[in-house]
Protein backbone atom coordinates (compact mmCIF):
# COMPACT_ATOMS: atom_id res chain seq x y z
CA UNK A 1 0.00 0.00 0.00
CA UNK A 2 0.95 3.62 -0.40
CA UNK A 3 1.10 6.10 2.47
CA UNK A 4 2.32 9.67 2.79
CA UNK A 5 4.93 10.40 5.44
CA UNK A 6 6.08 13.96 6.05
CA UNK A 7 4.88 14.91 2.59
CA UNK A 8 6.61 12.03 0.75
CA UNK A 9 4.72 9.04 -0.63
CA UNK A 10 6.06 5.62 0.30
CA UNK A 11 5.23 2.06 -0.65
CA UNK A 12 5.09 -0.01 2.51
CA UNK A 13 4.22 -3.56 3.43
CA UNK A 14 3.42 -3.29 7.11
CA UNK A 15 0.38 -3.25 9.35
CA UNK A 16 0.68 -1.04 12.39
CA UNK A 17 2.14 2.37 13.02
CA UNK A 18 4.49 0.71 15.47
CA UNK A 19 5.78 -1.56 12.68
CA UNK A 20 6.46 1.45 10.49
CA UNK A 21 8.31 3.33 13.23
CA UNK A 22 10.35 0.24 14.10
CA UNK A 23 11.34 -0.24 10.44
CA UNK A 24 12.44 3.39 10.33
CA UNK A 25 14.42 3.15 13.56
CA UNK A 26 12.16 5.74 15.16
CA UNK A 27 10.45 3.71 17.85
CA UNK A 28 11.59 4.89 21.27
CA UNK A 29 12.98 8.14 19.82
CA UNK A 30 11.65 11.49 21.03
CA UNK A 31 9.06 12.03 18.33
CA UNK A 32 5.37 12.86 18.03
CA UNK A 33 3.11 11.39 15.37
CA UNK A 34 -0.03 12.61 13.66
CA UNK A 35 -2.08 10.01 11.79
CA UNK A 36 -4.59 11.49 9.33
CA UNK A 37 -4.54 14.74 11.28
CA UNK A 38 -5.03 13.16 14.72
CA UNK A 39 -2.24 12.97 17.28
CA UNK A 40 -1.41 9.40 18.27
CA UNK A 41 -0.29 8.98 21.90
CA UNK A 42 2.87 6.86 22.19
CA UNK A 43 0.91 4.19 24.04
CA UNK A 44 -1.33 3.74 20.99
CA UNK A 45 1.35 3.17 18.33
CA UNK A 46 0.74 -0.58 18.23
CA UNK A 47 -3.04 -0.13 18.00
CA UNK A 48 -3.09 2.14 14.95
CA UNK A 49 -3.40 0.06 11.76
CA UNK A 50 -2.23 1.77 8.59
CA UNK A 51 -4.34 1.76 5.46
CA UNK A 52 -3.72 2.72 1.87
CA UNK A 53 -3.73 6.50 1.46
CA UNK A 54 -3.01 7.27 5.12
CA UNK A 55 -1.09 10.42 5.96
CA UNK A 56 1.53 10.53 8.70
CA UNK A 57 3.39 13.48 10.12
CA UNK A 58 6.35 12.63 12.33
CA UNK A 59 8.00 15.51 14.18
CA UNK A 60 10.82 16.11 16.60
CA UNK A 61 12.36 18.95 18.58
CA UNK A 62 15.01 21.04 16.86
CA UNK A 63 16.80 24.27 17.67
CA UNK A 64 14.70 27.39 17.41
CA UNK A 65 13.95 30.74 18.99
CA UNK B 1 20.01 35.22 43.79
CA UNK B 2 16.85 33.90 45.37
CA UNK B 3 14.81 36.11 43.04
CA UNK B 4 12.33 34.08 40.97
CA UNK B 5 9.61 34.79 38.44
CA UNK B 6 6.26 33.09 38.33
CA UNK B 7 4.93 32.26 34.86
CA UNK B 8 1.64 30.41 35.15
CA UNK B 9 2.36 27.34 37.26
CA UNK B 10 6.12 27.55 36.62
CA UNK B 11 8.58 29.19 39.00
CA UNK B 12 11.65 30.31 37.08
CA UNK B 13 15.02 31.04 38.62
CA UNK B 14 16.48 32.93 35.68
CA UNK B 15 15.04 36.03 34.05
CA UNK B 16 16.97 35.22 30.90
CA UNK B 17 15.13 32.88 28.52
CA UNK B 18 17.06 31.60 25.53
CA UNK B 19 16.48 30.03 22.14
CA UNK B 20 18.35 27.13 20.58
CA UNK B 21 18.36 28.20 16.92
CA UNK B 22 21.26 29.30 14.69
CA UNK B 23 24.09 27.65 16.66
CA UNK B 24 26.97 25.98 14.83
CA UNK B 25 26.20 22.58 16.36
CA UNK B 26 24.53 20.95 19.33
CA UNK B 27 27.72 21.05 21.38
CA UNK B 28 27.90 24.84 21.09
CA UNK B 29 24.16 25.06 21.83
CA UNK B 30 24.63 23.11 25.05
CA UNK B 31 27.63 25.14 26.22
CA UNK B 32 26.03 28.50 25.47
CA UNK B 33 22.83 27.59 27.26
CA UNK B 34 24.76 26.36 30.25
CA UNK B 35 26.66 29.67 30.37
CA UNK B 36 23.45 31.69 30.08
CA UNK B 37 22.09 30.21 33.31
CA UNK B 38 18.64 30.11 31.70
CA UNK B 39 16.11 27.56 32.88
CA UNK B 40 13.60 28.22 30.10
CA UNK B 41 14.87 27.14 26.70
CA UNK B 42 12.85 27.43 23.51
CA UNK B 43 12.76 24.82 20.77
CA UNK B 44 11.02 24.35 17.45
CA UNK B 45 8.94 21.41 16.23
CA UNK B 46 9.77 20.19 12.75
CA UNK B 47 9.35 17.12 10.56
CA UNK B 48 11.80 14.36 11.38
CA UNK B 49 14.25 13.86 8.55
CA UNK B 50 13.51 10.25 7.64
CA UNK B 51 16.77 9.84 5.77
CA UNK B 52 18.91 10.67 8.76
CA UNK B 53 20.90 8.31 10.92
CA UNK B 54 18.53 7.43 13.76
CA UNK B 55 21.43 7.65 16.22
CA UNK B 56 22.18 11.25 15.28
CA UNK B 57 22.06 13.37 18.45
CA UNK B 58 18.74 15.06 19.07
CA UNK B 59 18.28 18.50 20.63
CA UNK B 60 16.57 16.87 23.60
CA UNK B 61 19.69 14.79 24.27
CA UNK B 62 21.66 18.01 24.81
CA UNK B 63 18.91 20.09 26.39
CA UNK B 64 17.42 17.60 28.77
CA UNK B 65 13.77 18.12 29.69
CA UNK B 66 14.75 16.95 33.19
CA UNK B 67 17.09 19.87 33.65
CA UNK B 68 15.51 22.67 31.61
CA UNK B 69 11.96 23.92 31.20
CA UNK B 70 11.45 23.45 27.50
CA UNK B 71 9.38 26.03 25.75
CA UNK B 72 8.18 24.76 22.38
CA UNK B 73 7.51 27.64 20.05
CA UNK B 74 5.28 27.97 17.02
CA UNK B 75 7.75 30.05 15.01
CA UNK B 76 7.22 29.57 11.31
CA UNK B 77 3.45 29.32 11.69
CA UNK B 78 1.46 31.90 9.75
CA UNK B 79 -2.04 30.89 10.83
CA UNK B 80 -3.80 30.18 14.12
CA UNK B 81 -4.61 26.64 12.93
CA UNK B 82 -0.96 25.80 12.24
CA UNK B 83 0.12 27.25 15.58
CA UNK B 84 -2.49 25.25 17.51
CA UNK B 85 -1.55 22.06 15.66
CA UNK B 86 2.13 22.64 16.45
CA UNK B 87 1.36 23.13 20.15
CA UNK B 88 -0.63 19.90 20.28
CA UNK B 89 2.26 18.00 18.69
CA UNK B 90 4.69 19.63 21.12
CA UNK B 91 2.56 18.57 24.06
CA UNK B 92 2.70 14.99 22.85
CA UNK B 93 6.43 15.25 22.15
CA UNK B 94 7.11 16.48 25.68
CA UNK B 95 4.81 14.05 27.50
CA UNK B 96 1.95 16.38 28.34
CA UNK B 97 3.93 19.55 29.02
CA UNK B 98 1.53 22.53 28.79
CA UNK B 99 3.86 25.55 28.55
CA UNK B 100 4.17 26.90 25.01
CA UNK B 101 5.40 29.98 23.23
CA UNK B 102 2.78 31.16 20.78
CA UNK B 103 4.18 33.06 17.84
CA UNK B 104 2.22 33.67 14.65
CA UNK B 105 4.23 35.80 12.29
CA UNK B 106 3.37 37.62 9.12
CA UNK B 107 4.84 36.77 5.74
CA UNK B 108 6.67 40.07 5.55
CA UNK B 109 10.28 41.09 5.83
CA UNK B 110 9.56 42.47 9.30
CA UNK B 111 8.39 39.06 10.60
CA UNK B 112 5.97 41.20 12.58
CA UNK B 113 3.48 39.26 14.73
CA UNK B 114 0.11 38.68 13.05
CA UNK B 115 -1.93 39.79 16.03
CA UNK B 116 -5.29 38.74 14.57
CA UNK B 117 -4.16 35.13 14.16
CA UNK B 118 -2.29 35.32 17.47
CA UNK B 119 -5.44 36.32 19.35
CA UNK B 120 -7.42 33.50 17.73
CA UNK B 121 -4.78 30.90 18.50
CA UNK B 122 -4.40 32.15 22.08
CA UNK B 123 -8.13 31.67 22.75
CA UNK B 124 -8.07 28.08 21.48
CA UNK B 125 -4.87 27.16 23.31
CA UNK B 126 -6.03 28.60 26.64
CA UNK B 127 -9.32 26.70 26.23
CA UNK B 128 -7.33 23.50 25.68
CA UNK B 129 -5.41 23.96 28.91
CA UNK B 130 -2.12 25.24 27.52
CA UNK B 131 -0.11 27.79 29.48
CA UNK B 132 0.58 30.33 26.77
CA UNK B 133 3.52 32.71 26.67
CA UNK B 134 2.69 34.91 23.73
CA UNK B 135 4.92 36.82 21.34
CA UNK B 136 3.20 39.98 20.20
CA UNK B 137 3.65 43.50 18.91
CA UNK B 138 4.23 46.38 21.29
CA UNK B 139 0.61 47.52 21.01
CA UNK B 140 -0.67 47.98 24.58
CA UNK B 141 -4.29 47.23 23.60
CA UNK B 142 -3.37 43.87 22.11
CA UNK B 143 -1.24 43.07 25.16
CA UNK B 144 -4.21 43.80 27.44
CA UNK B 145 -6.46 41.57 25.34
CA UNK B 146 -3.93 38.70 25.42
CA UNK B 147 -3.81 38.94 29.21
CA UNK B 148 -7.62 38.96 29.35
CA UNK B 149 -7.72 35.78 27.23
CA UNK B 150 -5.60 34.08 29.87
CA UNK B 151 -2.04 34.07 28.54
CA UNK B 152 0.46 33.49 31.37
CA UNK B 153 3.07 35.91 29.98
CA UNK B 154 2.96 38.60 27.32
CA UNK B 155 6.12 39.01 25.25
CA UNK B 156 6.29 42.13 23.10
CA UNK B 157 9.14 42.60 20.67
CA UNK B 158 11.82 45.18 21.37
CA UNK B 159 12.71 45.29 17.66
CA UNK B 160 12.15 42.87 14.74
CA UNK B 161 13.23 39.23 15.23
CA UNK B 162 16.94 38.73 14.62
CA UNK B 163 17.55 42.43 13.93
CA UNK B 164 19.69 43.09 17.01
CA UNK B 165 18.58 46.73 16.96
CA UNK B 166 17.97 46.92 20.71
CA UNK B 167 14.83 48.30 22.35
CA UNK B 168 13.23 50.68 19.86
CA UNK B 169 10.02 51.14 21.83
CA UNK B 170 10.72 51.82 25.51
CA UNK B 171 7.59 53.96 25.91
CA UNK B 172 5.29 51.25 24.55
CA UNK B 173 7.00 48.61 26.69
CA UNK B 174 6.59 50.81 29.73
CA UNK B 175 2.92 51.36 28.94
CA UNK B 176 2.41 47.60 28.63
CA UNK B 177 4.19 47.11 31.97
CA UNK B 178 1.88 49.65 33.58
CA UNK B 179 -1.25 47.94 32.26
CA UNK B 180 -0.53 44.23 32.79
CA UNK B 181 -0.37 42.00 35.85
CA UNK B 182 1.12 38.92 34.14
CA UNK B 183 4.87 38.94 33.48
CA UNK B 184 5.99 41.06 30.54
CA UNK B 185 9.05 39.57 28.84
CA UNK B 186 10.78 41.31 25.94
CA UNK B 187 11.14 38.79 23.14
CA UNK B 188 13.23 39.68 20.10
CA UNK B 189 15.36 42.64 19.13
CA UNK B 190 18.17 42.49 21.68
CA UNK B 191 21.61 42.82 20.05
CA UNK B 192 24.05 43.07 22.92
CA UNK B 193 24.23 43.05 26.71
CA UNK B 194 23.28 46.71 27.26
CA UNK B 195 20.03 46.18 25.30
CA UNK B 196 19.02 43.44 27.72
CA UNK B 197 19.87 45.67 30.67
CA UNK B 198 17.69 48.48 29.26
CA UNK B 199 14.71 46.10 29.08
CA UNK B 200 15.26 44.96 32.65
CA UNK B 201 15.71 48.51 33.95
CA UNK B 202 12.30 49.37 32.50
CA UNK B 203 10.82 46.75 34.82
CA UNK B 204 10.36 43.81 32.46
CA UNK B 205 10.21 40.46 34.22
CA UNK B 206 12.64 38.93 31.77
CA UNK B 207 14.10 38.86 28.27
CA UNK B 208 13.94 36.08 25.71
CA UNK B 209 16.68 36.03 23.10
CA UNK B 210 18.30 33.75 20.58
CA UNK B 211 20.24 35.48 17.79
CA UNK B 212 22.10 37.92 20.06
CA UNK B 213 23.84 34.95 21.66
CA UNK B 214 23.96 32.48 18.77
CA UNK B 215 25.35 34.94 16.24
CA UNK B 216 27.93 36.52 18.54
CA UNK B 217 31.52 35.70 17.56
CA UNK B 218 31.83 33.82 20.85
CA UNK B 219 28.34 32.64 21.78
CA UNK B 220 29.39 31.09 25.10
CA UNK B 221 30.98 34.34 26.26
CA UNK B 222 27.98 36.38 25.07
CA UNK B 223 25.66 34.01 26.94
CA UNK B 224 27.51 34.83 30.15
CA UNK B 225 27.44 38.55 29.31
CA UNK B 226 23.67 38.35 28.88
CA UNK B 227 23.26 36.52 32.16
CA UNK B 228 25.12 39.31 33.96
CA UNK B 229 23.32 42.04 32.00
CA UNK B 230 19.91 40.68 32.96
CA UNK B 231 20.93 40.37 36.58
CA UNK B 232 22.38 43.89 36.62
CA UNK B 233 19.34 45.40 34.95
CA UNK B 234 17.00 43.74 37.41
CA UNK B 235 19.05 44.85 40.41
CA UNK B 236 19.15 48.42 39.09
CA UNK B 237 15.37 48.36 38.59
CA UNK B 238 14.81 47.10 42.13
CA UNK B 239 17.35 49.56 43.56
CA UNK B 240 15.57 52.49 41.87
CA UNK B 241 17.70 54.84 39.84
CA UNK B 242 18.55 58.39 40.88
CA UNK B 243 16.59 61.18 39.23
CA UNK B 244 18.05 62.82 36.15
CA UNK B 245 19.23 66.42 36.67
CA UNK B 246 20.08 69.10 34.18
CA UNK B 247 23.21 70.37 35.96
CA UNK B 248 26.11 69.03 37.96
CA UNK B 249 25.78 68.16 41.64
CA UNK B 250 29.15 67.72 43.40
CA UNK B 251 29.76 64.34 45.01
CA UNK B 252 32.18 65.65 47.66
CA UNK B 253 31.09 68.05 50.41
CA UNK B 254 31.61 71.66 49.50
CA UNK B 255 32.31 72.70 53.10
CA UNK B 256 35.43 72.13 55.23
CA UNK B 257 37.81 72.82 52.38
CA UNK B 258 41.40 73.74 53.33
CA UNK B 259 42.27 77.39 52.87
Amino acid sequence: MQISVNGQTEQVDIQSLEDYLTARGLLGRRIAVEHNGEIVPKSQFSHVMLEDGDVLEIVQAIGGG
Amino acid sequence: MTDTIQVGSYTLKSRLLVGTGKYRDLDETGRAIEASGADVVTMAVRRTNLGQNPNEPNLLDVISPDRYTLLPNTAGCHTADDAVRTCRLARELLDGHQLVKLEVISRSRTLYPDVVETLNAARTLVDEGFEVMVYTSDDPLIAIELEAIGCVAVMPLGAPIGSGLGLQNPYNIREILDQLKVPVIVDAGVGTASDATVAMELGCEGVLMNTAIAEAKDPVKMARAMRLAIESGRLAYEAGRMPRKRYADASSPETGLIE
Side-chain angles (χ1 to χ4, degrees):
Chain A
M1 67 182 166
Q2 187 169 291
I3 62 172
S4 165
V5 186
N6 288 358
Q8 306 279 334
T9 54
E10 288 187 29
Q11 290 292 337
V12 291
D13 182 23
I14 39 156
Q15 295 191 317
S16 72
L17 176 57
E18 186 175 82
D19 295 341
Y20 177 81
L21 296 174
T22 304
R24 279 293 188 177
L26 293 170
L27 198 68
R29 306 285 300 169
R30 294 182 199 263
I31 54 165
V33 182
E34 225 186 51
H35 173 239
N36 295 336
E38 295 287 327
I39 288 172
V40 184
K42 293 175 187 72
S43 60
Q44 299 298 308
F45 286 168
S46 61
H47 302 301
V48 172
M49 295 301 146
L50 297 178
E51 290 177 25
D52 192 50
D54 277 1
V55 177
L56 296 179
E57 287 285 343
I58 305 173
V59 300
Q60 67 177 56
I62 66 151
Chain B
M1 282 208 305
T2 53
D3 173 47
T4 59
I5 94 173
Q6 192 67 32
V7 176
S9 62
Y10 293 79
T11 305
L12 312 179
K13 291 188 292 293
S14 171
R15 294 177 178 275
L16 173 58
L17 298 81
V18 296
T20 52
K22 300 182 180 173
Y23 285 98
R24 222 164 288 142
D25 51 39
L26 285 177
D27 175 62
E28 185 182 74
T29 311
R31 286 185 296 119
I33 284 158
E34 168 101 46
S36 77
D39 44 14
V40 171
V41 176
T42 69
M43 50 162 259
V45 176
R46 290 291 183 274
R47 283 173 163 172
T48 295
N49 179 357
L50 296 168
Q52 81 179 6
N53 169 8
N55 296 319
E56 195 170 289
N58 182 298
L59 179 70
L60 299 183
D61 299 332
V62 178
I63 307 299
S64 163
D66 301 328
R67 176 164 175 202
Y68 295 100
T69 298
L70 286 167
L71 182 60
N73 75 22
T74 65
C77 293
H78 298 289
T79 66
D81 286 348
D82 283 348
V84 169
R85 193 175 167 201
T86 300
C87 289
R88 289 175 184 149
L89 281 164
R91 178 157 62 183
E92 177 57 27
L93 189 59
L94 298 174
D95 304 317
H97 172 91
Q98 309 282 8
L99 191 69
V100 291
K101 172 181 162 183
L102 171 62
E103 168 175 341
V104 189
I105 52 177
S106 59
R107 290 180 197 277
S108 71
R109 68 177 182 179
T110 62
L111 296 182
Y112 228 64
D114 182 329
V115 294
V116 176
E117 292 295 310
T118 300
L119 288 165
N120 288 335
R123 287 187 195 100
T124 307
L125 291 169
V126 170
D127 279 351
E128 292 188 12
F130 285 96
E131 296 195 51
V132 181
M133 301 176 73
V134 59
Y135 173 64
T136 184
S137 69
D138 58 17
D139 181 336
L141 300 181
I142 299 294
I144 290 166
E145 184 60 25
L146 288 165
E147 180 181 60
I149 287 169
C151 294
V152 295
V154 173
M155 307 199 291
L157 48 71
I161 294 172
S163 69
L165 288 170
L167 239 68
Q168 298 297 305
N169 49 6
Y171 297 99
N172 283 36
I173 299 289
R174 185 167 284 170
E175 178 61 17
I176 291 171
L177 283 164
D178 282 351
Q179 298 287 337
L180 266 55
K181 291 190 184 66
V182 296
V184 174
I185 294 170
V186 164
D187 180 1
V190 165
T192 188
S194 53
D195 299 333
T197 306
V198 167
M200 295 308 294
E201 285 173 347
L202 283 175
C204 293
E205 290 283 345
V207 178
L208 197 165
M209 66 179 77
N210 189 155
T211 312
I213 297 175
E215 289 194 353
K217 281 195 187 119
D218 183 340
V220 177
K221 197 168 268 188
M222 186 58 91
R224 177 151 181 265
M226 290 299 185
R227 174 187 196 158
L228 297 170
I230 296 281
E231 205 171 315
S232 291
R234 181 64 191 180
L235 285 171
Y237 170 73
E238 288 175 4
R241 60 153 297 147
M242 62 165 281
R244 288 180 171 84
K245 297 169 195 164
R246 276 193 72 192
Y247 301 107
D249 181 2
S251 303
S252 304
E254 295 189 57
T255 55
L257 290 162
I258 52 169
E259 287 183 27

